[in-house]
Amino acid sequence: MRLLSLCCLAFLLFSCGGDAIPPAPAMAPLADLPIIPLPFEMSSRDGYLWVDTDGDAAAGNSGADAGAMDYLRSRDLGMLPLATSLDPSLTLPNEAYLLDISAEGITITAKAAAGLLNGAITLVQVVEFSPNTERGIFLPAGTITDQPRYAYRGFMLDVARHFFGVDTVKQVIDRIAPYKINHLHLHLSDDQGWRIEIKSWPGLAEIGGRFEVDGTPGGYYTQEDYTEIVNYAAARGITVVPEIDMPGHTNAALNAYAELNGDGKARDPYFGTKVGFSTLDANKEVTYEFIDDVVREISAITPGPYFHIGGDESSVTPHDDYVKLIRRAQDIVLKHGKKSIGWDEVAVAGLAEGSVVQLWNHTEYALKAKEAGNKVLFSLAKRTYLDMQYDSLSRIGLHWAAYIEVDDAYNWDPGTLVDGLTEKDILGIEAPLWSETVRSLEDIDYLVFPRLPALAEVGWSYQMKRQYAPFVERLKVHQGWLKEQGIGTYDSRVFR
Ligand code: TNX
């Protein structure tokens, strides 16, 4: 080590004309850093990179990918000496990357921009868990080669039961991006509220958005607000998936427009938390004009490929009406250039090939979906529902599906959950946060952390690589990091 330091010293004195590289403090090898989600491969080398945090911020990274650099800057790490290189000929997924750290600097290589950004996201953790002293940052040398098991790792925020404004959503995005969550599903409408401006049906937001659970004031996103969220998410590697739930979970729309009701009478606002009592009328043409306008306006401001049509718990919709409405809704989605996603009940209607069935409750629908040429997105309530309590003492949350502790969230394999589904039938996993009991960012933090990092690893890391006990050791370090960032993560029993 000493010899190495002397060499570095000599090199730097010679090449940079003066600034001596300080000797490294005690530091862990790269491969021992507690990165979450666990990368595919990490290898350590002797030596280290010293980054002078007082130095010229842009000195080392001219020409590095703008997206990766913007992400690093958003985490106050714009001074890192990063070089990036894109190699479209690599036979790797777009999200894969190779991150190399040596005494000379940091390089990230990937096939596509998404991979460079993932490399930058990992780099932030490497820096966080390496010595950061008044003499600068010291990073252990080595290489990380990484790629995701599943293309879709999602988080869902229910902004309908309780509304969360743009600033809160941005803070949520900043919290989930470090775990390589790449889809943010926004549940934009439900019985209690309609949360997005539709210019051709202004009453949806203005009337349907007035309240939330318990009758407290609600709110909605203007289309400009929504675009702001979409862009903020995109800069952090996250694609927004908008959901308009139908034909059930529609009381807010039925409150705003009398003509959407079978009997032509407007419904009262709903402040409770029951499900399964509202429905659009599948036999009125105005229903499809409404769906067409809503899907068209939202699709026009959604760069991502998906539109989520809900389809869950439509208990008061007759079966034939349900099938008819879901089929026509997905034709409308296709017409506006998107792929549909639906909660698992939509499998009975038979979605078009290439659509996605989000499995939350009925595993028997997985094979039906596969037969129709749909991919499956795993959100099984008893593993992935972040609105479930940790245990009976949790201060908020529900428990109809299960109590979910960190080990329950971590110890399952999407690949073996349903007989007959193979790896290529699975799009990925998503962790939903329903907000019946969730009223603030503090509440969000309490339920999301530390379970989201566990689920993120289920979605990103290969099954053969991950093991529970070492994961908990890494998670302990993250628990401290989350707290340092002011994130109100829950003190799980797995840390005791
Ligand atoms: C079931 S999951 C629902 C939601 C509730 C949630 C509460 C699903 C597709 N429907 O309407 O908010 O349970 O956990």
Side-chain angles (χ1 to χ4, degrees), residues 431-496:
L433 182 67
W434 300 99
S435 65
E436 286 93 335
T437 66
V438 181
R439 295 172 173 81
S440 62
L441 183 61
E442 201 184 349
D443 289 352
I444 293 174
D445 283 348
Y446 172 82
L447 290 172
V448 172
F449 293 99
R451 290 182 292 193
L452 185 81
L455 290 159
E457 186 153 306
V458 173
W460 177 277
S461 307
Y462 285 76
Q463 190 66 24
M464 72 228 179
K465 303 267 177 185
R466 60 185 187 92
Q467 285 175 307
Y468 178 64
F471 168 72
V472 172
E473 291 309 309
R474 282 181 284 125
L475 190 63
K476 274 184 196 162
V477 181
H478 281 255
Q479 184 74 352
W481 184 38
L482 291 164
K483 287 185 181 177
E484 272 169 34
Q485 297 171 80
I487 299 171
T489 181
Y490 167 71
D491 275 312
S492 163
R493 65 164 156 72
V494 305
F495 300 132
R496 285 170 223 149

Side-chain angles (χ1 to χ4, degrees), residues 161 249 275 312-313 343 360 385 387-388 398 400 434 436:
R161 270 52 176 275
H249 291 279
V275 296
D312 57 315
E313 300 171 321
W343 297 107
W360 68 282
Y385 269 29
D387 63 314
M388 292 298 121
L398 307 175
W400 65 265
W434 300 99
E436 286 93 335

Side-chain angles (χ1 to χ4, degrees), residues 1 24-35 42-49 101 125-133 137-144 474 477:
M1 184 55 93
M27 59 199 292
L30 184 69
D32 290 357
L33 296 182
I35 310 294
M42 299 201 272
S43 62
S44 314
R45 288 194 307 268
D46 286 344
Y48 59 92
L49 170 69
I101 299 172
Q125 290 193 21
V126 169
V127 174
E128 182 56 36
F129 305 131
S130 297
N132 188 344
T133 73
I137 300 173
F138 297 83
L139 304 179
T143 303
I144 296 178
R474 282 181 284 125
V477 181

